[in-house]
Structures are given as structure tokens and as C-alpha cells.
Amino acid sequence: MVGVSVVAIVGAGPGLGAAVARRFGREGYDIALVARDRDRLEALVRELAEDGVTARAFPADVREPERLARALADAARELGTIEVLQYSPVPHKDFMRPVLETGHRQLTGPIEFSVYGPVAAVQQVLPGMRALGRGTILFVNGGTAAVPQVERAGTSVAFAAQSAYGHLLHERLAAEGIHVAQLVVPGAITPGHARKDPAVLAEMLWGMHRERHGFRHFADDLDSR
């Protein structure tokens, strides 16, 4: 696999994941698609092939860290060393409960999803990036990563933890040529939106990978919906 650049998209779907796959694919990257549903992943692989993008499906649930790590190991074995990792699964609606209705059990899912998952993914791909002497890790989060909301306690808590982890990685790995950055997307990813259309966001993520400047980036104003 010498000379092949690989991006792994954790949480790949028909919106942002597909747009990022196409954007990086245009630059010659092979794509590892990671999500729970094998059938949907295989359908996306076929769609991308029609656009000339080489992609493979690696099913895994981000709430099962060991399985996620195995999927990324399989991706590296089949496609080549993962140079870019994007972690962008969409949180479950039941993570967004009001704070006074959120007990410790209601935080388990968000923490598994937004902390254990990304830690497992990073730990799996980091040795390969270090061997390459370069790499990019991209986290995509909603607006509660920057401003907590009382009606969305689960994501507010878990995204804050993920943000802290990402920022620590950013500081620690920069000297090794590995760039870690976060894209905050307030509100919903919206096809046709000037700043939050999947293709627009994919272009931003490509720019973050190429320009390698700063940790936190915003797709839109925090009060946008």
C-alpha cells in the first residue's frame, strides 16, 4: 500500500460522511467507511465507486470500543495506514434530555459515544500516523461542544469531554506532525445551506486538514439554527 493515502470516516452516512469521502477521494485518498449498518455502508461504497472514489465498508458500533478498534485495524490492513481520521457520528436523540432529567445512567450512552469511542479510534490509528510522521484527526461536533444547553445535557457533557480530549491531543501531537482539530456545527447539517451544506462542510474539513491551523473551527454562528 505504499503511496496510498487513506482517510477513515467514523460515523459515515449519506450526508456529511459521503461528502467528505467525495472531497478527499478527489484528492486521491482511499476511504474507510465506519458505521453500524453494513447494508447502508455497502450502498454508499457503490455510490462512491460511481464517482470514481475507492471506498470500503467496515461495520462497527462506536459504543463498542474494541469492535471499533478492530474495524480500524481491518481498514489499515486492507487499504493502508490511516493518515486521516474523522470522528463524526450523529448522536442519538435520547442523549438530549434536560439536565434535571439526566442521571448517571442517562450519561452512559453519551460518554460511550463521544468519549470512549473517539479514544479507542485515536489509540488505534495513532501508531500508524506516528510511523508515517504525519496525520490528521478531525472531530465534528454540534454547538453544545462550545456552549452547553440545559435541554441537551447528555451531548453538552459528553461533547465538552471530547473537546477537552481533542484539545489535549492537539497540544501534545503537533510537534510530531499530527494535526488535531474540531469543527463545531451549530444546529443541523442542512443540504442547500450556505454554510452547513454537507459539501460546504466537507470543503472546510479538507481545508482544516491541509492548512493545519488551530484546534476549534466554527461552521456558522453559534446562535444559528
Side-chain angles (χ1 to χ4, degrees):
M1 296 294 180
V2 176
V4 175
S5 296
V6 180
V7 54
I9 302 172
V10 178
L16 180 61
V20 170
R22 290 187 173 96
R23 182 63 186 90
F24 278 77
R26 290 203 304 269
E27 303 294 335
Y29 282 73
D30 286 353
I31 315 296
L33 303 171
V34 182
R36 289 185 299 169
D37 193 312
R38 178 183 293 275
D39 291 340
R40 291 182 181 181
L41 285 179
E42 294 291 358
L44 182 53
V45 167
R46 292 191 293 272
E47 291 177 16
L48 292 170
E50 294 176 359
D51 295 332
V53 178
T54 299
R56 296 285 298 274
F58 300 92
D61 188 334
V62 300
R63 292 178 65 178
E64 299 177 6
E66 292 81 6
R67 180 68 190 91
L68 176 57
R70 287 197 299 272
L72 291 168
D74 291 343
R77 185 166 51 253
E78 295 183 25
L79 293 174
T81 302
I82 294 170
E83 181 183 344
V84 181
L85 171 70
Q86 176 175 305
Y87 192 89
S88 54
V90 178
H92 300 290
K93 291 182 179 180
D94 62 1
F95 292 174
M96 302 178 193
R97 298 171 182 266
V99 64
L100 296 183
E101 298 174 17
T102 302
H104 67 278
R105 290 186 178 86
Q106 286 73 47
L107 284 175
T108 299
I111 294 298
E112 289 176 341
F113 194 89
S114 295
V115 182
Y116 299 165
V119 171
V122 168
Q123 289 292 312
Q124 180 60 46
V125 303
L126 189 55
M129 291 182 179
R130 281 175 153 162
L132 288 175
R134 65 183 186 278
T136 302
I137 299 169
L138 300 169
F139 296 107
V140 180
N141 298 106
T144 53
V147 179
Q149 297 181 20
V150 295
E151 297 300 318
R152 299 183 176 187
T155 57
S156 294
V157 171
F159 280 174
Q162 187 185 120
S163 298
Y165 177 64
H167 199 278
L168 292 171
L169 291 174
H170 172 80
E171 293 186 350
R172 175 61 180 80
L173 294 173
E176 299 184 40
I178 299 170
H179 180 59
V180 182
Q182 176 191 53
L183 178 61
V184 176
V185 185
I189 295 174
T190 308
H193 191 284
R195 299 181 70 176
K196 295 187 289 187
D197 179 88
V200 174
L201 296 173
E203 190 65 40
M204 287 192 67
L205 288 159
W206 171 254
M208 289 161 61
H209 164 60
R210 295 295 296 170
E211 294 166 15
R212 314 180 75 73
H213 175 70
F215 172 67
R216 177 171 282 177
H217 303 256
F218 291 91
D220 204 351
D221 297 332
L222 281 172
D223 58 359
S224 68
R225 294 289 184 268

